[in-house]
Every structure is written in C-alpha cells, then in structure tokens.
Amino acid sequence: MNTDFIKGVVVPILTPIDGEERIDEAKLRDQVDYVIQGGVSGVLAFGSNGEFYMVEEDEMERGLKIMVDQAAGRVPVYFGIGAINTKKCCRLAQMAVKNGAAAVSVLQPMFLKPTYTELLQHFQTIARSVPETPVLLYNNPGRVGYTLTAQLVDQLAHQVPNIVGMKDTSGDITLTSEFIRRTRDVGFKVFGGKDTLLYASLCHGAVGGVCTAANFMPELITDVYNKFVAGDMAGSLEAQFKLNPVRLSMDAASFPVAAKDMANLRGRDVGAPYLPTLPTPAGAAKDGFVKTMTEAGLL
C-alpha cells in the first residue's frame, strides 16, 4: 500500500454553506483552489473545522465529490469520519472510497468512553471495511473527553495493515512523541494536530500537520513545514513563532467559528457556521483576531 503521499500540511477544510445550510459549491471550489495555491499537501474533508458533526450523509457525499473534482489530483483528498456507531463509520468509509478519497481519518467515538477492547474492535472493523485504503486514527481528547493510548495505537499500527497513521490533537508533545517512537518500525505516519506545535511535532518525527490555520493563512503554516524539510530549522521556528499569536487568538471564540471568521476577515467570503454556532460578534475576541492578524501581516 502506497503511503508516500501522507505528509506535509493537510488542511481540515472549511465547509462554506448558504442560507439553507446547504454546501455552497462555488465557494467550496474556490476554497479548495485557495488552499492548494497556498501550498497545502492535502485536503481533509469534514474534519473538526469542516463541522462534520453538522452535516448529513448525503451532503457529505456531495461535498466530497465536489472537493475531489476540484482538487483534480493536485493533492490527495482525505475524508474525516466522526460518527459514534461502528456500522455508520464503515458505511461512511466505503462511501468515501467510492467517491475518490485517498484515505480516511477516524475520530474516536464521542460521548461514550469505550474500553480498550471496544476501541480496538471499533477501529479494526472500520479498517477492514476498506482494506485497500489507508486509514488514519484521529486522537482529539479535548473534544471527546478521553485519549487514545500509546499502547492501543501501537497495537493497531502493528496488527492492522491499512491503519497506517494518525493525527494527534492531544497537545501533549510527550504523547505525540510516544505515538511516533512506538510505531516507527512499521513506517506509521503521525501528523501533529495542533498548529502551534507543528515545529515541535516535526522535531519528534511527525510527517506533517493537520492545520486549521491553512484555511486562512496557508502561506504561514506551510512555511513552517517547508523550511523544516529544507533543513532551515531556525527559519522554521521563526515561522512557527509568527503564526502562533494568530492561532492562539482563535481560542477566545466559540469553537469552531474562528476559522471562518478569520477567513472572512481576509476576504475569503466563506460564510457563516452551522447553527447553533454564530459568527464571533464585535468585541474583545474579534478585536484580538484583527490585532494578531495585522501584526502577522495578514491584514
């Protein structure tokens, strides 16, 4: 199985919608072009910042078809799966493969707190439903309430042939490092999931990052990666320090609206989030966006 493409900065692409909360095809196509032109190495459809939890299955399929068509082979399109039910996850994985996804990314089940054995079976079953397709685990303890353990990831990486990598959004660089250390003998590909830790993740052996900021400042976040792989460590670190204040200012807003807010501030016209979330109102949080983006040369 070829996994050479699994690297670089992958953007969990925004999902532009119209007033009826239908995917706005023209804006989505424009966003795909924008991030590719900005230097990303891949597009992740329906990640956390793609508001996957708001989108019905038929709309996901329509959106994925649009993204695959617009990417036109320039970069791989990954498909994010965040369902709780194992059977639904398998159905979504098979739909994604049918419609041209190069790989699928699977978040651990939300709301529940499954046992080790339950999680092991969950991920094994999903991977076996698409045996010829690379599967990435997605660890996001801040959103689901528990973490994938290094032991579980180690076992899955060594026992399930098409579980070939993961995104770690724990923010715990020691845990990220453990995922990498324990699986490096099988070429397991670990992405950092925190924009502010891209440089640190790369230093520990990550192959890249899945980075929200690439939706509205792809030139900055890809600069961290490109300079790192070129051997310009000092330049990569400075690029990381340049983008961090912008990324950190997002935390003052309701998740996940800040990414769309910042894209709109840059003239991207990506629209509003799905209800019940709302665009960030005028006030301290939005003032913080403008301040940090201006200081970074984005406005």
Side-chain angles (χ1 to χ4, degrees), residues 14 16 38-39 73 81-82 94 104 118 122 160 181 230-231 239 247 255-256 274:
L14 299 173
I81 299 172
Q94 291 168 344
V104 297
E118 289 166 346
H122 177 71
V160 186
R181 181 187 70 81
R247 181 63 185 85
F255 178 83
Y274 289 88

Side-chain angles (χ1 to χ4, degrees), residues 181-248:
R181 181 187 70 81
R182 294 177 66 143
T183 61
R184 67 194 190 282
D185 60 320
V186 290
F188 194 74
K189 307 290 186 75
V190 177
F191 284 110
K194 291 285 188 182
D195 296 14
T196 51
L197 292 175
L198 177 57
Y199 175 84
S201 299
L202 292 169
C203 286
H204 283 266
V207 297
V210 179
C211 302
T212 300
N215 274 296
F216 58 87
M217 53 177 184
E219 66 273 37
L220 284 189
I221 196 77
T222 57
D223 199 33
V224 178
Y225 175 79
N226 291 335
K227 285 179 175 173
F228 187 93
V229 297
D232 181 6
M233 307 295 282
S236 177
L237 182 57
E238 281 305 309
Q240 181 75 76
F241 287 160
K242 184 177 181 180
L243 76 87
N244 279 5
V246 181
R247 181 63 185 85
L248 290 169

Side-chain angles (χ1 to χ4, degrees), residues 245-279:
V246 181
R247 181 63 185 85
L248 290 169
S249 74
M250 297 173 71
D251 294 339
S254 169
F255 178 83
V257 303
K260 282 184 173 177
D261 291 335
M262 288 186 167
N264 286 326
L265 284 169
R266 291 206 79 190
R268 293 298 310 136
D269 187 25
V270 297
Y274 289 88
L275 294 172
T277 51
L278 298 168

Side-chain angles (χ1 to χ4, degrees), residues 115-146:
T115 66
Y116 185 100
T117 299
E118 289 166 346
L119 282 172
L120 183 68
Q121 179 175 288
H122 177 71
F123 287 119
Q124 287 174 334
T125 303
I126 297 164
R128 288 168 182 162
S129 75
V130 286
E132 304 303 317
T133 299
V135 174
L136 307 179
L137 309 174
Y138 174 16
N139 184 42
N140 194 338
R143 290 290 155 195
V144 305
Y146 65 93

Side-chain angles (χ1 to χ4, degrees), residues 39 72 79 106-107 154 156 164 170 175 182 191 194 212 221 254:
F79 182 80
V106 187
L107 178 68
D154 188 342
L156 288 167
V164 298
S170 67
L175 182 58
R182 294 177 66 143
F191 284 110
K194 291 285 188 182
T212 300
I221 196 77
S254 169

